[in-house]
Amino acid sequence: MKKQKPDNLKGFNPFNQLPQEIIFTILDLLNSNPHDIKSFSLACKSFYAAESKHRTSLKPLRQEHLPSILSRYPNIAHLHLTRCSRVSDTCLSFVSHACASSLRSIDLSRTRLFSASGLLGLALNCNNLVEIDLSNATELKDSAMAAVSQAKNLEKLWLARCKSVTDLGVGCVAVGCRKLKSICLKWCLGVGDLGVGLLAVKCNHICYLDLSYLPITSKCLSPILKLQHLEELVLEGCFGIDDDSLAVLKHGCNSLKSLDVSTCQSIRHNGLSSLVSGAVGLQQLTLAHGSPVTSSLADSLKKFSMLQSVKLDGCLISYDGLKTIGNWCASLRELSLSKCSGVTDEGLSSIVTKHKDLRKLDITCCRKITDVSISCITNSCNSLTSLRMESCTLVSREAFVLIGQRCHLLEELDLTDNEIDDKGLKYISRCSQLSNLKLGICLNITDEGLIHIGRRCSKLLELDLYRSVEITDSGIIAIAQGCPGLEMINIAYCKDITDHSLLSLSKCSRLKMLESRGCSLITSLGLTAVAVGCKELTKLDVKKCPNIDDAGMLPLAHFSQNLRQINLSHCSVTDIGLLSLAGISCLQNITILHLKSLAPTGLAAVLLACGGLTKVKLQAEFKWLLPHRLIEHLEARGCTFQWRDKVLQVELDPKCWKLRLEGLMQ
């Protein structure tokens, strides 16, 4: 006979006795894993209620779910609507009432359909709103800015690519939002000197200002540089700014810490010398894709005692310029010379031997440097945490040994398209802090080298093996076993990879991105293992994997509920398999080119069933085979179609492919 519980214990839940503070502390520790939070909230009613009160941030998939979600979570402070392709004014009205007292930031940067009316409701009802992101809202006009200006406590406003906004709209914001601290006007082509000048005059607390690609001149710089709290100023692509414009810096901008004047061809050493007497506290300077870096230009910046970061990407740079940088009094922490023509061993060595405190160095596509540079870098800069040296093709295999011997603090290492071999990887495996390693198009590495990485680099999060064709299952298995926290792996066109690799990767439960394009030996069996084991998977690319069929789609639909992007081109999936993916509510981006068994009627059913789609890539022929009203309906729902008319191409052998690429670069 079943033993009866005492009456005084019926309905007793010990968890109800826990103080709310303890439960909130537990939830704080679980924040990194949404699955753990969900399991916690389903444990009992008290935990469910506590999790509802604790959550302050939301990123819903569809706007129609907002009413039910916000009714459960009453304390939402940060609302990200970037996954909702269309958010109506009615939806924003509901948000403004449901989160009237709690909402502090809202991100509308990837959505459409709302207007000034919806924004006005937010501004008037949400008194604690301090941040709004309206980037990419190309249809918003000055009336929307007038609505935003009613948010009196606004501190951050992002308007990148709001091309219909003019000086009038920015002026409204300047007058209404006096507490603004950060504003981005990048690519707001209707905004000029008048609007920017008003911001500078009315909003005295601005500390971050992005004016990239605006048609501004020196007229607005004077009030800008009078801002007492301005720390970051971005003038990228402002072609109206020249040396004479920067002369106003002489009158002082002591608070400025970061200046970006990249792609400003008219700024030379005369203009930059004005910085010396004005922005004495400058710490970060970006001159990418600008004027040639000569000794005169470099000499004009030598007095910056606090300068820590310099980015010269894409500039023509002379030996004298590099030597002068080496003689600066400041001790640089970050230097970027990516795609700078003119960088030689002698010039680079003159820098690294003086700036020994470098933490980040980017010498991508500096094709003239050899082992001499690598020897100087590794001998002088032992504290490097990031080294990017893609396509440094004159560096020999032996030089990579020095990196592993001397730079043990490296966390990021990009060796794409280099001559590194297994011996080099053996020494690089000594860099036990590595979290990001790129070995794409490294044709000399094999499983032997990867086994060393797997054994010693347990903190690895991202690994890129794109077209490293000598890698097989043994190397991938070693990585999967040694790097349990792996979040991204690219094994595209590693032709000998089979299901054994995917079975081992399925043990990496935090895997979010898997790119296995062109791995023709993997099948739906391996994909099933990944779907079951890697429930956090968000991006999957199995293009040109002919053995992936409908059998692999069903497990994906059941287990991979976080999947947002998938590429199934050139696979053996049919409309039946595609239809099963409709069960993945997160799925937004799908590419399905050259699916032989895909019928128009089946495709139509798939597109209708997958209600969250925002981007679909299809063969151009389907544009005429699908009903026009269906396409209109899907576009109205927020789905964007990209039609492709590419013919099926035959893949080259990777070594022939590399030779052809090198021929084009010469």
Side-chain angles (χ1 to χ4, degrees):
M1 184 175 177
K2 188 176 180 181
K3 188 176 181 180
Q4 296 292 324
K5 291 183 179 180
D7 291 340
N8 60 343
L9 291 181
K10 286 185 178 180
F12 175 74
N13 185 349
F15 295 123
N16 290 332
Q17 309 304 311
L18 287 177
Q20 186 170 270
E21 291 77 9
I22 293 180
I23 298 178
F24 281 7
T25 302
I26 296 172
L27 285 166
D28 288 336
L29 296 173
L30 296 178
N31 265 339
S32 60
N33 193 328
H35 298 291
D36 291 343
I37 295 177
K38 184 176 181 180
S39 298
F40 180 91
S41 66
L42 295 177
C44 63
K45 290 182 179 180
S46 59
F47 281 13
Y48 184 88
E51 197 271 331
S52 297
K53 294 179 182 178
H54 177 268
R55 185 182 289 271
T56 59
S57 179
L58 272 182
K59 198 170 185 177
L61 291 171
R62 303 183 197 174
Q63 71 160 12
E64 57 264 29
H65 296 158
L66 271 175
S68 59
I69 294 175
L70 293 178
S71 63
R72 177 183 171 185
Y73 299 108
N75 299 318
I76 296 302
H78 310 287
L79 184 58
H80 306 269
L81 296 175
T82 52
R83 296 182 187 173
C84 302
S85 58
R86 294 200 165 195
V87 173
S88 65
D89 289 339
T90 303
C91 177
L92 289 185
S93 177
F94 184 87
V95 170
S96 67
H97 288 91
C99 307
S101 60
S102 62
L103 192 65
R104 294 184 57 81
S105 70
I106 185 167
D107 189 342
L108 297 162
S109 61
R110 295 187 180 182
T111 186
R112 295 174 289 168
L113 198 59
F114 63 90
S115 68
S117 176
L119 293 174
L120 182 61
L122 283 174
L124 293 176
N125 294 325
C126 302
N127 295 325
N128 294 315
L129 192 62
V130 295
E131 181 175 3
I132 301 178
D133 192 341
L134 299 173
S135 300
N136 308 305
T138 54
E139 297 178 358
L140 288 185
K141 301 184 183 299
D142 292 336
S143 57
M145 296 303 100
V148 170
S149 70
Q150 299 302 310
K152 304 301 181 182
N153 293 314
L154 200 64
E155 296 179 2
K156 297 180 180 180
L157 179 61
W158 313 103
L159 299 173
R161 288 171 292 280
C162 292
K163 299 180 180 180
S164 299
V165 173
T166 71
D167 289 333
L168 179 60
V170 173
C172 292
V173 171
V175 172
C177 305
R178 299 294 186 92
K179 296 182 180 180
L180 267 183
K181 294 181 180 180
S182 301
I183 183 167
C184 174
L185 297 171
K186 185 175 184 177
W187 284 113
C188 293
L189 301 180
V191 179
D193 290 329
L194 179 60
V196 174
L198 279 171
L199 274 175
V201 171
K202 299 293 184 180
C203 304
N204 299 322
H205 300 286
I206 288 180
C207 58
Y208 173 87
L209 185 58
D210 188 344
L211 305 175
S212 301
Y213 299 99
L214 263 59
I216 57 175
T217 66
S218 58
K219 292 180 181 179
C220 67
L221 278 187
S222 182
I224 287 174
L225 297 171
K226 290 179 182 178
L227 291 167
Q228 296 181 359
H229 304 286
L230 185 63
E231 295 183 356
E232 288 188 63
L233 178 59
V234 184
L235 299 172
E236 178 183 358
C238 293
F239 302 110
I241 303 296
D242 54 19
D243 286 347
D244 294 336
S245 303
L246 290 183
V248 297
L249 281 167
K250 291 182 178 179
H251 302 296
C253 189
N254 296 330
S255 62
L256 197 63
K257 295 181 180 179
S258 176
L259 177 64
D260 185 345
V261 287
S262 53
T263 324
C264 292
Q265 300 287 343
S266 301
I267 294 179
R268 301 181 184 276
H269 68 277
N270 292 328
L272 292 174
S273 61
S274 301
L275 289 168
V276 177
S277 56
V280 293
L282 201 68
Q283 297 177 10
Q284 181 173 327
L285 179 62
T286 303
L287 301 172
H289 308 289
S291 300
V293 181
T294 61
S295 59
S296 298
L297 186 144
D299 190 59
S300 67
L301 304 173
K302 66 181 181 181
K303 294 182 181 179
F304 284 115
S305 59
M306 300 181 68
L307 198 61
Q308 296 183 5
S309 173
V310 176
K311 297 180 181 180
L312 304 170
D313 302 352
C315 291
L316 173 63
I317 189 165
S318 66
Y319 164 69
D320 290 335
L322 288 171
K323 187 176 180 181
T324 304
I325 293 174
N327 292 327
W328 283 355
C329 58
S331 182
L332 293 179
R333 297 296 183 94
E334 180 177 1
L335 177 63
S336 185
L337 301 171
S338 175
K339 301 179 182 178
C340 287
S341 55
V343 177
T344 61
D345 286 335
E346 191 176 7
L348 186 56
S349 299
S350 67
I351 291 181
V352 297
T353 52
K354 300 291 181 64
H355 297 280
K356 296 186 177 183
D357 290 330
L358 273 175
R359 299 293 191 271
K360 296 182 179 182
L361 178 62
D362 191 340
I363 49 176
T364 296
C365 294
C366 292
R367 301 179 187 277
K368 295 181 180 179
I369 67 170
T370 68
D371 297 13
V372 175
S373 289
I374 304 304
S375 178
C376 287
I377 290 169
T378 56
N379 189 50
S380 302
C381 307
N382 304 129
S383 299
L384 277 178
T385 59
S386 174
L387 176 59
R388 298 180 181 180
M389 51 177 294
E390 176 183 347
S391 298
C392 295
T393 50
L394 293 183
V395 176
S396 72
R397 303 182 185 188
E398 290 72 23
F400 297 100
V401 172
L402 300 176
I403 296 175
Q405 287 179 329
R406 300 170 179 173
C407 301
H408 294 161
L409 299 180
L410 279 173
E411 298 173 10
E412 178 185 21
L413 183 58
D414 187 349
L415 302 177
T416 303
D417 189 18
N418 276 290
E419 294 300 315
I420 186 172
D421 59 7
D422 291 336
K423 182 180 179 181
L425 283 183
K426 179 180 179 180
Y427 280 88
I428 284 172
S429 69
R430 297 181 180 181
C431 305
S432 59
Q433 301 301 311
L434 266 182
S435 62
N436 188 329
L437 179 59
K438 294 185 178 181
L439 299 169
I441 325 177
C442 292
L443 305 182
N444 300 317
I445 63 171
T446 69
D447 295 333
E448 181 184 345
L450 274 193
I451 289 172
H452 290 297
I453 297 294
R455 286 175 178 171
R456 305 186 68 172
C457 300
S458 60
K459 296 183 179 180
L460 199 64
L461 300 178
E462 299 184 17
L463 178 62
D464 188 346
L465 297 168
Y466 174 78
R467 290 188 184 273
S468 294
V469 292
E470 297 300 320
I471 300 300
T472 70
D473 291 332
S474 299
I476 303 302
I477 291 171
I479 292 294
Q481 291 176 344
C483 312
L486 197 67
E487 295 180 358
M488 189 283 284
I489 186 167
N490 187 342
I491 51 176
Y493 299 105
C494 295
K495 55 182 176 53
D496 294 322
I497 295 294
T498 72
D499 286 341
H500 292 295
S501 290
L502 298 192
L503 288 169
S504 63
L505 289 172
S506 69
K507 304 297 190 298
C508 300
S509 59
R510 296 182 182 177
L511 193 68
K512 293 179 174 64
M513 298 174 62
L514 172 61
E515 298 193 33
S516 55
R517 177 181 301 196
C519 296
S520 58
L521 299 181
I522 67 173
T523 71
S524 292
L525 178 63
L527 184 57
T528 297
V530 170
V532 173
C534 308
K535 294 183 175 62
E536 294 185 30
L537 195 67
T538 60
K539 181 180 178 181
L540 175 65
D541 188 340
V542 288
K543 178 180 179 180
K544 297 183 179 178
C545 297
N547 294 314
I548 298 293
D549 54 21
D550 294 344
M553 298 300 101
L554 295 173
L556 274 178
H558 185 71
F559 295 102
S560 301
Q561 286 298 308
N562 290 307
L563 192 65
R564 293 202 297 269
Q565 182 175 339
I566 189 169
N567 189 339
L568 296 170
S569 301
H570 304 275
C571 292
S572 299
V573 177
T574 70
D575 42 22
I576 297 175
L578 288 177
L579 193 58
S580 66
L581 297 181
I584 305 177
S585 58
C586 288
L587 189 62
Q588 292 186 306
N589 189 330
I590 186 168
T591 302
I592 39 178
L593 303 174
H594 296 290
L595 294 187
K596 297 179 180 179
S597 301
L598 187 59
T601 52
L603 176 59
V606 169
L607 295 176
L608 281 172
C610 296
L613 290 179
T614 59
K615 184 177 179 181
V616 177
K617 286 186 182 180
L618 283 170
Q619 285 297 112
E621 63 190 60
F622 284 109
K623 189 174 184 178
W624 317 113
L625 296 174
L626 291 172
H628 183 64
R629 292 183 62 183
L630 171 65
I631 296 176
E632 286 184 339
H633 169 73
L634 293 171
E635 288 177 337
R637 203 167 66 181
C639 183
T640 300
F641 287 91
Q642 293 187 358
W643 307 101
R644 294 290 183 265
D645 199 18
K646 293 174 65 175
V647 297
L648 183 62
Q649 297 178 343
V650 178
E651 279 295 320
L652 290 173
D653 178 85
K655 294 184 178 180
C656 296
W657 178 85
K658 184 178 179 182
L659 290 172
R660 176 177 289 187
L661 181 62
E662 290 175 349
L664 291 173
M665 297 297 292
Q666 292 176 354

